[in-house]
Amino acid sequence: MMRPLTMRSWLATLVTALLAMATWPDPGQSLPQGAPETVCDTMLPFHSGGSVLPQNSVSPFSVETSSSTLGQGQTLRVDLTGVPAGLSFGGYMIQARNRNPPHQIIGQFGPARDGTIKLMNCENSVNNSATHSNAGPKQQVILEWQSPVDFLGQVVFNATIAQSYNEFWVGVPSQPVQIVRRDLSAAPPLPTQSPSYPAGTTRAPYVPPSYVAPNNVVAVSSDPIYNGCGQSKNCFGFPDGCVATQSCTSITVVTVRGDVFEFEIQSGKGTNAAYVAVGLSDDAKMGDDLTSECVPENGRVNLYSSLTSASPYSAVRSSVNQNSARLLDASIVDGVIYCRVQRDAVTNVQGRTFDLRNGKYHLLVASGSSLKENSVGYHDIGRLPSAQPINLAEVQDLSGSSRLLIQLHGAFMIAAWIGTTSLGIIFARYFKQTWVGSQSCGKDQWFAWHRLLMVTTWSLTVAAYVLIWVELKRAVWHAHSIIGLITVILCFIQPIGALFRPGPNDKKRPYFNWGHWLGGNLAHILGIVTIFFSVKLPKAELPEWMDWILVSFVVVQVLVHLIFSIGGMASERHQSQRANTFQMGDMSHHQQHAMRNGMSMERKMDAPYAGMRKGLLGVYGVVLVLFVTVLILLVVLAPIEQFLGKS
């Protein structure tokens, strides 16, 4: 009784297999339609004849993903390739499934621009599987897969790959891909190698195989955009060196696959960026650069291509064919702008050719907090060009261009307005009756030092102003630049006015003295205020706590002036008491003559408390040097956090 039942079961299985074989075309027949949706569950290409079964050997083909971690709603590259490279295959079918029960199909595949990929609708979902549209031989297939916005967990890509009519492998797996929240939260560590599968078995594609993670696991980045930097893709951002610490205010990532040039652009947390952009430049200077701008508008991120102009700054969209770049993926979460862009290998703009295959370009990363009509605003959050032009296909570690001119500008201004000006004013105000009778270069000591220090201030200020113009090449108006310009003008005219100083007995001399005093002190105050405003400039990259150092300097400056003023009043009072000790009317002619000679001798001596003034000057000089040194170090080593071990 059992024998007929067994025979019928075998015949039923054979008939079912024969019917299923007809549903998968032979690669050798080059049927263009690819796998039918009737095999969505099995992914089994039953070839005609009934005797052709899947291979039991290890597949010579692999399924590789561009990243082991992906954010919700982001796009991933999936490659089907032969091992070794160059091994060709004909037909294929691929899906991504949940690694855990119920093992449902996950995500969507994107269409190929050349039409070589056929998308399938399995399990009543759109484009969640892919197959070939032409069964001709191929050495590599590149697919784009987008993760769902409502899924968290691990997915595994499973593929059926047919090398020939009678050689095909079913259930070729990829390494698991972790889908994480797009809020840049940390993802759990993933294994450093793909799971191994026993030879001679074929795994059901809709039940991804499990494995035990090896002991040697590596932590993935909390932000997936940094994964593979310097290894499989070029990464560059600002402030300089931020890629290593994964703390970029803005970052761009360039991935090249043949003639496919992809740019990922992302702003940092808490920057309040209105846009983030990457540019390609011949000279690392703003102007005539091809840019890709990601701009949040009406709840979504839009992509624009522009050609920049340096003077005045603008990014002209009308000059560039907007179809020369395509937005593949974009999001804005917690103020963080992200987009992934694919650019044409060659773009022609106003007679200029940007050839990404053969040319070398500086990468410029920029972001700003404002927009203009049909354009982005000034990059007030920051901008940094790469130090050297590169071929985008050559993966390397990138560094920013030199900040030397900005550093020299800041250092010169601090030395001038915190250092030499402060000391020069002290000499002119409180030391006219000190070192009396001693001269340098034919001038009293106080005047010689005052003149030397103020000429130094003038020279440093003019040099610093020229340096910042060379760096910016255009006027940028904000509180720092406006007050700074007024300070430079006052500083410039002070020594010119001194050349026309009236004589000591000229009736106009008091007016000159008041004007010179007012101009010098006003310039000094405005210079310090300008330095305060520089702390807020993104380009300066100064720490906010630098404000407290400047406040401490102002407090010390006020205290020193107060002590010197009190000492000066005490000195004048002491001199007045000595002069009034004798009444001239009670003296004889001889006594009056002796008194006048004594007063003449006193005028050639230091005023009282000269020792105190000299001692206080020494202490003040040391403190002033410390302030200047610390502030210059903050400017030259900016951002100082990288040296203090802070991110």
Side-chain angles (χ1 to χ4, degrees):
M1 296 296 296
M2 294 296 296
R3 185 183 181 104
L5 180 61
T6 303
M7 181 60 69
R8 283 197 298 270
S9 299
W10 183 85
L11 288 174
T13 302
L14 178 60
V15 171
T16 302
L18 291 174
L19 291 174
M21 289 177 190
T23 65
W24 185 278
D26 182 353
Q29 296 173 343
S30 301
L31 296 179
Q33 69 271 19
E37 293 177 1
T38 55
V39 298
C40 284
D41 288 338
T42 65
M43 298 180 66
L44 188 62
F46 286 105
H47 287 173
S48 60
S51 60
V52 181
L53 298 176
Q55 298 294 307
N56 291 329
S57 60
V58 176
S59 171
F61 304 99
S62 65
V63 180
E64 299 177 354
T65 60
S66 58
S67 176
S68 60
T69 306
L70 190 69
Q72 291 174 317
Q74 289 188 319
T75 304
L76 183 75
R77 169 181 163 171
V78 183
D79 290 4
L80 304 181
T81 58
V83 182
L87 188 64
S88 63
F89 57 95
Y92 68 90
M93 179 179 175
I94 186 169
Q95 299 173 339
R97 287 187 178 261
N98 188 349
R99 185 168 177 265
N100 299 308
H103 308 300
Q104 74 274 22
I105 303 177
I106 297 294
Q108 291 182 334
F109 288 91
R113 294 178 61 192
D114 55 4
T116 58
I117 298 174
K118 176 186 175 183
L119 301 180
M120 304 171 62
N121 302 330
C122 295
E123 297 182 352
N124 298 320
S125 296
V126 178
N127 300 340
N128 60 3
S129 301
T131 185
H132 59 279
S133 63
N134 187 318
K138 50 188 72 69
Q139 296 181 354
Q140 183 183 34
V141 171
I142 299 175
L143 304 103
E144 300 288 345
W145 178 83
Q146 184 176 24
S147 64
V149 296
D150 57 353
F151 176 82
L152 291 174
Q154 288 187 329
V155 299
V156 173
F157 290 88
N158 284 268
T160 293
I161 303 177
Q163 186 177 13
S164 63
Y165 172 77
N166 57 359
E167 290 183 296
F168 57 89
W169 288 260
V170 177
V172 180
S174 72
Q175 180 180 352
V177 176
Q178 184 80 27
I179 309 301
V180 300
R181 294 188 186 277
R182 189 66 185 103
D183 59 2
L184 309 183
S185 59
L190 292 178
T192 58
Q193 62 185 32
S194 301
S196 59
Y197 301 91
T201 61
T202 300
R203 301 278 181 167
Y206 50 89
V207 183
S210 60
Y211 67 97
V212 178
N215 293 328
N216 55 329
V217 296
V218 295
V220 297
S221 166
S222 60
D223 188 344
I225 199 169
Y226 293 99
N227 292 339
C229 286
Q231 299 175 351
S232 59
K233 56 188 181 182
N234 283 311
C235 302
F236 180 65
F238 70 81
D240 194 18
C242 67
V243 174
T245 58
Q246 300 185 8
S247 59
C248 293
T249 301
S250 294
I251 182 175
T252 185
V253 172
V254 184
T255 304
V256 180
R257 301 188 299 269
D259 282 345
V260 178
F261 293 84
E262 288 186 2
F263 297 79
E264 293 179 81
I265 320 169
Q266 181 174 287
S267 66
K269 275 189 174 182
T271 58
N272 296 319
Y275 73 89
V276 61
V278 59
L280 300 173
S281 173
D282 291 325
D283 55 7
K285 302 294 183 182
M286 187 60 69
D288 295 329
D289 310 318
L290 180 64
T291 65
S292 302
E293 305 150 6
C294 298
V295 183
E297 295 173 320
N298 300 321
R300 57 177 295 177
V301 178
N302 293 323
L303 169 68
Y304 299 100
S305 294
S306 301
L307 186 70
T308 64
S309 173
S311 180
Y313 175 78
S314 63
V316 183
R317 296 171 182 170
S318 60
S319 302
V320 184
N321 180 3
Q322 296 301 312
N323 293 326
S324 63
R326 291 156 297 283
L327 184 62
L328 302 179
D329 186 20
S331 66
I332 177 167
V333 179
D334 294 336
V336 177
I337 306 170
Y338 169 85
C339 66
R340 187 165 63 90
V341 180
Q342 180 178 325
R343 293 210 66 93
D344 287 345
V346 178
T347 303
N348 294 305
V349 185
Q350 294 186 343
R352 295 201 57 207
T353 299
F354 291 87
D355 185 353
L356 307 190
R357 285 187 297 247
N358 304 310
K360 291 187 176 183
Y361 300 96
H362 293 266
L363 290 175
L364 289 97
V365 184
S367 60
S369 60
S370 64
L371 300 174
K372 299 179 181 178
E373 185 177 0
N374 298 321
S375 175
V376 298
Y378 183 66
H379 40 75
D380 55 344
I381 294 178
R383 162 190 169 271
L384 184 66
S386 60
Q388 301 296 332
I390 65 166
N391 184 293
L392 299 181
E394 298 177 3
V395 178
Q396 55 196 282
D397 293 326
L398 300 176
S399 60
S401 62
S402 173
R403 299 181 66 252
L404 179 61
L405 296 184
I406 295 177
Q407 293 168 338
L408 288 176
H409 168 81
F412 285 0
M413 287 301 193
I414 288 173
W417 296 102
I418 300 294
T420 56
T421 302
S422 302
L423 195 57
I425 290 176
I426 292 291
F427 271 105
R429 186 172 300 175
Y430 304 111
F431 283 84
K432 292 180 179 178
Q433 294 300 316
T434 309
W435 294 297
V436 174
S438 176
Q439 293 187 334
S440 293
C441 301
K443 300 293 183 181
D444 290 342
Q445 289 288 354
W446 75 268
F447 184 80
W449 281 103
H450 173 76
R451 182 174 61 181
L452 174 63
L453 291 168
M454 290 309 182
V455 169
T456 303
T457 295
W458 188 91
S459 302
L460 289 173
T461 301
V462 172
Y465 193 69
V466 171
L467 288 174
I468 203 62
W469 267 101
V470 172
E471 171 68 20
L472 298 180
K473 291 187 170 55
R474 72 182 191 90
V476 181
W477 299 115
H478 41 62
H480 175 80
S481 59
I482 294 173
I483 301 174
L485 178 61
I486 297 173
T487 304
V488 171
I489 294 173
L490 290 173
C491 173
F492 191 82
I493 64 177
Q494 276 291 96
I496 296 176
L499 296 176
F500 300 95
R501 178 175 59 244
N505 299 320
D506 194 299
K507 63 179 180 179
K508 297 180 180 179
R509 181 61 179 260
Y511 298 104
F512 168 82
N513 289 340
W514 278 107
H516 192 69
W517 175 89
L518 179 62
N521 282 277
L522 182 60
H524 190 210
I525 293 172
L526 292 179
I528 295 174
V529 172
T530 303
I531 294 174
F532 267 101
F533 277 111
S534 71
V535 178
K536 304 301 182 183
L537 295 177
K539 186 180 289 292
E541 298 181 320
L542 297 171
E544 292 185 1
W545 46 265
M546 180 174 168
D547 281 335
W548 293 107
I549 299 178
L550 292 172
V551 169
S552 300
F553 163 75
V554 172
V555 171
V556 169
Q557 189 77 357
V558 171
L559 288 176
V560 168
H561 276 273
L562 183 61
I563 295 173
F564 271 124
S565 297
I566 294 174
M569 289 187 292
S571 177
E572 291 177 359
R573 182 178 180 183
H574 188 272
Q575 284 182 310
S576 176
Q577 289 176 345
R578 292 178 60 182
N580 295 329
T581 300
F582 300 99
Q583 297 295 326
M584 295 292 291
D586 298 334
M587 297 182 186
S588 65
H589 176 75
H590 178 73
Q591 289 174 326
Q592 291 179 6
H593 179 72
M595 183 63 181
R596 292 190 186 97
N597 288 337
M599 294 177 64
S600 176
M601 290 296 295
E602 282 192 4
R603 284 194 293 267
K604 295 181 180 180
M605 298 174 60
D606 286 355
Y609 310 117
M612 181 273 291
R613 290 193 298 277
K614 294 177 183 178
L616 182 59
L617 178 65
V619 174
Y620 175 71
V622 172
V623 173
L624 196 62
V625 168
L626 290 176
F627 271 115
V628 171
T629 302
V630 170
L631 292 172
I632 288 179
L633 286 176
L634 290 178
V635 170
V636 173
L637 300 180
I640 194 65
E641 287 82 358
Q642 62 183 323
F643 297 96
L644 300 179
K646 298 179 181 179
S647 58

